[in-house]
Amino acid sequence: MGRDKARLELAGQTLATRLADLLASLVEEVLLVGGEPPPGTVGQRVPDPSGPACALRGVVGALEAATRESVLVLATDLHLLTPDPLPALVTAPRAPAAVRR
């Protein structure tokens, strides 16, 4: 894409802020992995761990920084995500992993 997806705006709000607000309404700990989040975005900034530039690096950073036993990882560019599926993911029975298709 060539630019920071977290700072892209949709309906007057950055993608990172929109997603962080959505998550903060459902969970106690919101981690913002990667670059510097837009000003006013809720959550704790976590730098990317070292390694090759890829999406999995963000997942590793989230898992390493999380203080909770369960972790929900979402990509910043899920601009069409609605709150509807998130409560089911947050309250799902414990499993090694869950992936929504």
Side-chain angles (χ1 to χ4, degrees):
M1 174 175 271
R3 59 187 285 207
D4 186 1
K5 291 181 279 190
R7 294 183 181 276
L8 292 177
E9 288 195 16
L10 178 66
Q13 190 176 35
T14 66
L15 296 185
T17 301
R18 179 183 178 280
L19 194 59
D21 287 348
L22 188 62
L23 287 173
S25 70
L26 296 168
V27 299
E28 295 177 21
E29 181 178 48
V30 175
L31 302 173
L32 308 165
V33 183
E36 192 64 37
T41 303
V42 299
Q44 175 189 340
R45 183 188 179 277
V46 175
D48 273 324
S50 61
C54 65
L56 286 179
R57 202 168 72 172
V59 174
V60 169
L63 293 173
E64 288 178 343
T67 62
R68 307 284 191 241
E69 187 175 322
S70 297
V71 178
L72 172 64
V73 178
L74 300 174
T76 302
D77 58 355
L78 296 174
H79 62 283
L80 297 178
L81 181 67
T82 65
D84 302 333
L86 294 179
L89 287 171
V90 171
T91 61
R94 295 192 190 278
V99 180
R100 183 165 190 240
R101 294 190 286 157

